[in-house]
Amino acid sequence: MQLLDGAPASAADLQPLALTGFGHFTTMRVERGGVRGLARHLARLARDCRTVFRAELDIATARDQLRAAIADEPDPVIVRVTVFDPRLGVERPGAEARPRVLMTPRPAAPARPPALRVRTVRFARELPAVKHTGLFGALLARAEAQRDGWDDAVFADDAGRLAEGPTWNLGFVRDGDVVWPAADALPGVTAAVLDDALRAHSVPSSTAAVTPADLPRMDAAFATNAGFGVRPIASIDGVAWDPAHPALERLETAYLGIPLEQV
């Protein structure tokens, strides 16, 4: 059930968000009543609320509302938690904010989606440190890539450095090590908890600039987000990899081994 501050949300409740799109969110996959990286998701909500609204978010209450939102949902379920203030219009978005919390559950996609074929697009996310609701540019890049026969897009900055996808973080495997691209990108919770798990398993990881010229030297590529965990990337532009590379299976095993934090 879609809940706004713990109560059923009506169309009128959602109209201000639809009209202005001024807010921020996080998305998590809930399995057996738990979430990988729950504390990080909640910390993101609190941090972004301070940035966007200059207000404090009651995380304990939000957690209670999340528990209520999943009570009657199938397992597993994806829940998007959106923070917005319906009183803030386009004329005075800087007025004193009283943020509200919207819980939107939806059925979880298959745990092992097919590998992605993506193309590079010159694009920079606006305020990448915040997971905000302004997704038009990112989704347009995805739409245009799909219309041209690709599965998705991957963003490159003005220096040609690869950064991320529209709704996922990007990673590579090179000589057994995991390489995270060094470029402005949304700091993903799934990428962070996966990196923690890799370090716990003594799998080396590092951050380095990656350009299209570096792709032939990579052994594998992958995407991460809360919905699917680790997803193989079969190709970027004209460079292809084996989506069944053993390193990717090890990454998925490490991710699935991350303990669930109970809601």
Side-chain angles (χ1 to χ4, degrees), residues 57-249:
L57 189 68
D58 187 336
I59 292 302
T61 298
R63 192 167 183 167
D64 291 341
Q65 293 167 1
L66 174 60
R67 194 178 300 117
I70 65 174
D72 297 323
E73 295 293 329
D75 184 79
V77 62
I78 303 296
V79 183
R80 171 168 161 157
V81 185
T82 307
V83 179
F84 72 107
D85 186 340
R87 302 175 308 109
L88 301 182
V90 295
E91 296 85 4
R92 285 194 54 79
E96 183 179 358
R98 297 175 184 171
R100 304 184 71 183
V101 179
L102 175 68
M103 299 286 173
T104 307
R106 68 177 189 269
R112 294 180 65 90
L116 290 166
R117 294 173 56 256
V118 305
R119 73 173 180 188
T120 56
V121 175
R122 189 63 57 87
F123 181 80
R125 190 186 301 274
E126 188 176 20
L127 191 61
V130 172
K131 193 175 178 71
H132 55 77
T133 54
L135 295 176
F136 177 81
L139 293 184
L140 180 61
R142 170 176 286 171
E144 291 180 336
Q146 291 175 348
R147 290 166 187 154
D148 290 338
W150 303 86
D151 297 318
D152 211 339
V154 64
F155 304 149
D157 64 16
D158 288 340
R161 298 176 301 177
L162 301 181
E164 60 179 329
T167 56
W168 41 266
N169 285 109
L170 174 66
F172 297 95
V173 178
R174 181 177 59 197
D175 299 328
D177 298 353
V178 171
V179 179
W180 302 104
D184 286 339
L186 180 71
V189 169
T190 302
V193 296
L194 174 61
D195 196 55
D196 288 345
L198 295 175
R199 293 178 187 277
H201 287 82
S202 300
V203 176
S205 70
S206 61
T207 301
V210 179
T211 69
D214 298 314
L215 296 179
R217 293 189 288 275
M218 301 298 175
D219 301 321
F222 61 96
T224 67
N225 78 6
F228 53 66
V230 177
R231 184 173 185 176
I233 294 178
S235 65
I236 297 179
D237 298 333
V239 181
W241 298 279
D242 179 7
H245 193 286
L248 299 181
E249 184 175 349

Side-chain angles (χ1 to χ4, degrees), residues 35 37-44 261:
V35 176
L38 176 62
R40 289 181 181 269
H41 282 289
L42 296 175
R44 164 192 274 169
E261 300 173 44

